[in-house]
């Protein structure tokens, strides 16, 4: 993973336009209107509990779409409950015939902060206008 590439703040629906590519180090990556990335930063509600096969897979709904997330074993010992509002950052993958997947390396329960969801929408819109939109228009 190339940590020089930023984790894009995006909505699940925006990831539908991501195109697979490779970085200069021949690592799998994606582009979104010319922005190279490997990791994404999402926030949403857990709409499922972990899978029974102990792979640590959940479904996350951010209001624009649903994405599958996979937790590392370090996070599986914590209590994750359907309906929690969480922030996740992780490596983005496209799975053929299935939902996209994010292998999580950071997850934070934001449920105790009820304004976080509305603030997240504003953050993503602001990031788009300040940083991404100029690149889309070039």
């Amino acid at each position: 993973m190339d940590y020089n590439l930023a984790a894009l703040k995006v909505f699940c629906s925006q990831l539908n336009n991501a195109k697979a590519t490779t970085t200069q180090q021949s690592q799998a990556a994606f582009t979104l209107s010319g922005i190279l990335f490997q990791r994404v930063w999402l926030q949403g509600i857990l709409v499922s509990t972990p899978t029974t096969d102990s792979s640590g897979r959940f479904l996350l709904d951010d209001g624009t779409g649903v994405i599958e997330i996979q937790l590392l074993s370090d996070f599986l010992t914590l209590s994750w409950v359907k309906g929690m509002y969480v922030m996740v950052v992780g490596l983005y993958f496209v799975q053929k015939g299935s939902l996209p997947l994010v292998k999580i390396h950071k997850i934070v329960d934001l449920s105790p902060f009820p304004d976080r969801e509305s603030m997240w929408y504003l953050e993503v819109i602001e990031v788009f206008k300040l940083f991404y939109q100029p690149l889309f228009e070039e």
Side-chain angles (χ1 to χ4, degrees), residues 2 5-6 8 21-24 29-32 34-38:
D2 185 351
L5 298 176
L8 296 186
T21 187
T22 56
T23 66
Q24 292 177 347
F30 295 87
T31 59
L32 188 58
I35 304 168
L36 186 65
F37 72 97
Q38 292 176 315

Side-chain angles (χ1 to χ4, degrees), residues 118-134:
S118 58
M119 293 301 294
W120 175 248
Y121 289 112
L122 295 174
E123 282 181 46
V124 175
I125 291 167
E126 181 179 43
V127 165
F128 178 82
K129 286 183 175 182
L130 289 175
F131 301 109
Y132 306 159
Q133 189 172 19

Side-chain angles (χ1 to χ4, degrees), residues 18-128:
K19 306 284 185 233
T21 187
T22 56
T23 66
Q24 292 177 347
Q25 295 82 15
S26 299
Q27 297 174 333
F30 295 87
T31 59
L32 188 58
S33 294
I35 304 168
L36 186 65
F37 72 97
Q38 292 176 315
R39 297 176 300 135
V40 293
W41 181 340
L42 300 163
Q43 286 184 192
I45 296 171
L46 295 177
V47 292
S48 70
T49 53
T51 54
T52 55
D53 63 3
S54 73
S55 67
R57 292 184 180 219
F58 296 81
L59 295 179
L60 179 86
D61 185 342
D62 76 347
T64 70
V66 176
I67 195 162
E68 187 174 13
I69 62 173
Q70 182 177 16
L71 299 178
L72 298 172
S73 59
D74 297 349
F75 298 121
L76 288 175
T77 59
L78 302 173
S79 177
W80 303 107
V81 180
K82 189 169 24 173
M84 291 174 86
Y85 185 76
V86 297
M87 179 272 295
V88 298
V89 179
L91 197 57
Y92 179 70
F93 291 93
V94 173
Q95 306 178 105
K96 292 190 193 260
S98 187
L99 291 172
L101 172 71
V102 178
K103 291 189 177 181
I104 303 304
H105 61 79
K106 180 174 185 169
I107 183 168
V108 177
D109 177 14
L110 298 175
S111 300
F113 308 101
D115 296 334
R116 287 306 306 155
E117 187 170 5
S118 58
M119 293 301 294
W120 175 248
Y121 289 112
L122 295 174
E123 282 181 46
V124 175
I125 291 167
E126 181 179 43
V127 165
F128 178 82

